[in-house]
C-alpha cells in the first residue's frame, strides 16, 4: 500500500553490533576464486541481499555516532551538571590518609569523571605523563604526591586530594600513534575535535562489540586489568560497584577471584 510502518525494537547497542559482526563474518571476502561478497537472508519467504560494504559502512556509522554521543559536553544550561560526580569524588577523598590511595576503575569511555576532577582541583594519575604531549606511561601509577619538607628532620606528608584513575575499556581521547623514544607504547591523548577531524588518528577505546574480550588481552588493557586484579585481591580490600550491571564476564572473573578472599568486601549499588 506504499506505507512504511515503524516499529520500535528494544535492543542494546552491544547486541546490535554483535548481530552485525556475525552477519559480516558470514560474508566471504572477494578473492580470485570467489567474487561473491553478498549475504542472502530469507524473511517471510522473501530473499534479502546484504552486501559486505553495506555492513561495514553501517558498523562504522554506528561507531562514529557512539563516539559523538560520548564526546558531547554537558549541557551548560543545566546548573552544575556534574554535581553527582563531584559529590561522589568528595566522599571518597574523606578517607584517612593512612589508607592506600582511592582507586577508580571504570568501563565508561566518556570524560565526565575527568571533567569533575578538573573542576574540583583534584590531582589524579590516569596512566599518562606529559603536558604538550601526553603519552601512556603506566609506571606513573607507582608515583605519589607529597608536600615538601619545611623542617630539618626532613619529614613530609602526603597530599590528600589524589586519586588513581583507570579506564579499563579505554577513553574517547586515546589514540594510537607511532612508537618513538618519547612514546614507547605508541599511545597518547588528543583533543576530541582533533580526533574527529583528523582521520589519521585512530581511537583505540574498546567499543561495545563482541571483540572487546580480545582487546582486553592486548596492551594497554592487559596492564590495566592486571592492576585492577592486584588492587582488589589485596588483604582487606573493598570494591564498591556503582551502576555496573555485571554484563562483562572478563571483569566478573576478576571479581569472582577476589570473592574467594575472606577479608574482601563487595558493595553493589
Amino acid at each position: 500500500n506504499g506505507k512504511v510502518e515503524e516499529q520500535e525494537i528494544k535492543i542494546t547497542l552491544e547486541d546490535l553490533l554483535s548481530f552485525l559482526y556475525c552477519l559480516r563474518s558470514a560474508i566471504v571476502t572477494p578473492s580470485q576464486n570467489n567474487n561473491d561478497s553478498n549475504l542472502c537472508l530469507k524473511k517471510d519467504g522473501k530473499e534479502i541481499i546484504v552486501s559486505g560494504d553495506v555492513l561495514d559502512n553501517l558498523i562504522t556509522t554506528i561507531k562514529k555516532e557512539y563516539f559523538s554521543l560520548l564526546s558531547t559536553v554537558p549541557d551548560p544550561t543545566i546548573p552544575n551538571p556534574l554535581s553527582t560526580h563531584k559529590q561522589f569524588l568528595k566522599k571518597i577523598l574523606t578517607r584517612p590518609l593512612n589508607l592506600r590511595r582511592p582507586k577508580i576503575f571504570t568501563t565508561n569511555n566518556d570524560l565526565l569523571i575527568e571533567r569533575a576532577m578538573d573542576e574540583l582541583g583534584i590531582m589524579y594519575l590516569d596512566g599518562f605523563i606529559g603536558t604538550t604531549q601526553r603519552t601512556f606511561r603506566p609506571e606513573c601509577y607507582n608515583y605519589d604526591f607529597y608536600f615538601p619538607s619545611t623542617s630539618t628532620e626532613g619529614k613530609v606528608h602526603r597530599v590528600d586530594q589524589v586519586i588513581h584513575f583507570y579506564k579499563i575499556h579505554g577513553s574517547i581521547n586515546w589514540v594510537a600513534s607511532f612508537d618513538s623514544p618519547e612514546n614507547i607504547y605508541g599511545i597518547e591523548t588528543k583533543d576530541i575535535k582533533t580526533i574527529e577531524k583528523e582521520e589519521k588518528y585512530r581511537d583505540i577505546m574498546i567499543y561495545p562489540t563482541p571483540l572487546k574480550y580480545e582487546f582486553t588481552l592486548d596492551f594497554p588493557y592487559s596492564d590495566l586489568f592486571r592492576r585492577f586484579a592486584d588492587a582488589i585481591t589485596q588483604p582487606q580490600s573493598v570494591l564498591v560497584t556503582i551502576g555496573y550491571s555485571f554484563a562483562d564476564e572478563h571483569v566478573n572473573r576478576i571479581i569472582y577471584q577476589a570473592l574467594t578472599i575472606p577479608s574482601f568486601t563487595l558493595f553493589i549499588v
Side-chain angles (χ1 to χ4, degrees):
N1 54 11
K3 295 182 179 179
V4 178
E5 295 182 0
E6 293 184 0
Q7 182 180 2
E8 182 180 359
I9 301 176
K10 294 184 178 181
I11 183 174
T12 65
L13 177 62
E14 185 169 345
D15 290 338
L16 174 60
L17 286 174
S18 298
F19 175 70
L20 294 177
Y21 270 93
C22 287
L23 289 181
R24 187 64 185 88
S25 63
I27 299 178
V28 179
T29 303
S31 61
Q32 294 180 353
N33 301 324
N34 188 352
N35 296 323
D36 186 11
S37 62
N38 297 329
L39 180 66
C40 181
L41 304 176
K42 289 186 177 181
K43 180 180 180 183
D44 300 331
K46 298 181 180 180
E47 292 186 352
I48 303 175
I49 305 299
V50 181
S51 70
D53 292 338
V54 170
L55 287 176
D56 289 338
N57 292 334
L58 181 56
I59 292 173
T60 300
T61 300
I62 292 175
K63 284 186 173 183
K64 286 184 178 180
E65 183 63 22
Y66 180 72
F67 184 94
S68 178
L69 290 173
L70 292 179
S71 61
T72 302
V73 179
D75 189 351
T77 62
I78 301 177
N80 202 1
L82 299 175
S83 59
T84 303
H85 296 76
K86 293 179 180 178
Q87 184 179 5
F88 166 72
L89 292 170
K90 290 178 181 178
K91 287 289 185 181
I92 65 174
L93 286 175
T94 58
R95 301 165 71 252
L97 292 179
N98 62 331
L99 297 178
R100 292 191 295 265
R101 291 293 191 189
K103 295 178 173 61
I104 298 179
F105 297 88
T106 179
T107 58
N108 293 344
N109 309 113
D110 56 57
L111 302 175
L112 294 181
I113 297 180
E114 291 97 315
R115 295 182 191 277
M117 290 191 289
D118 288 344
E119 293 185 13
L120 290 174
I122 297 174
M123 302 178 68
Y124 58 94
L125 297 168
D126 61 353
F128 287 81
I129 294 178
T131 301
T132 58
Q133 182 185 15
R134 290 184 55 77
T135 59
F136 186 71
R137 301 293 292 269
E139 64 269 20
C140 74
Y141 286 120
N142 302 324
Y143 303 159
D144 211 333
F145 296 94
Y146 291 84
F147 288 104
S149 173
T150 57
S151 62
T152 57
E153 292 84 2
K155 294 181 179 180
V156 297
H157 61 281
R158 207 168 57 161
V159 178
D160 52 354
Q161 291 197 339
V162 177
I163 291 176
H164 288 195
F165 187 50
Y166 304 80
K167 305 188 82 169
I168 57 178
H169 279 177
S171 180
I172 58 175
N173 64 337
W174 293 12
V175 297
S177 59
F178 294 105
D179 299 351
S180 67
E182 298 79 22
N183 186 6
I184 58 177
Y185 299 114
I187 302 172
E188 59 185 296
T189 63
K190 290 289 183 181
D191 180 71
I192 300 301
K193 294 182 179 179
T194 303
I195 298 176
E196 292 176 334
K197 292 179 180 179
E198 299 289 339
E199 294 185 357
K200 65 179 181 179
Y201 294 123
R202 182 172 61 87
D203 61 273
I204 60 171
M205 72 176 183
I206 298 180
Y207 287 86
T209 71
L211 300 177
K212 65 181 180 181
Y213 306 109
E214 298 180 11
F215 285 128
T216 59
L217 300 177
D218 198 4
F219 192 84
Y221 303 108
S222 58
D223 184 83
L224 296 176
F225 273 90
R226 179 182 61 82
R227 293 177 184 273
F228 174 53
D230 181 68
I232 67 174
T233 54
Q234 295 290 329
Q236 299 184 348
S237 292
V238 178
L239 175 64
V240 182
T241 64
I242 302 176
Y244 176 57
S245 62
F246 289 86
D248 293 326
E249 282 302 320
H250 56 293
V251 178
N252 296 345
R253 284 192 290 268
I254 299 176
I255 300 177
Y256 296 155
Q257 179 184 3
L259 286 170
T260 64
I261 302 174
S263 62
F264 173 72
T265 303
L266 172 65
F267 289 97
I268 301 174
V269 182

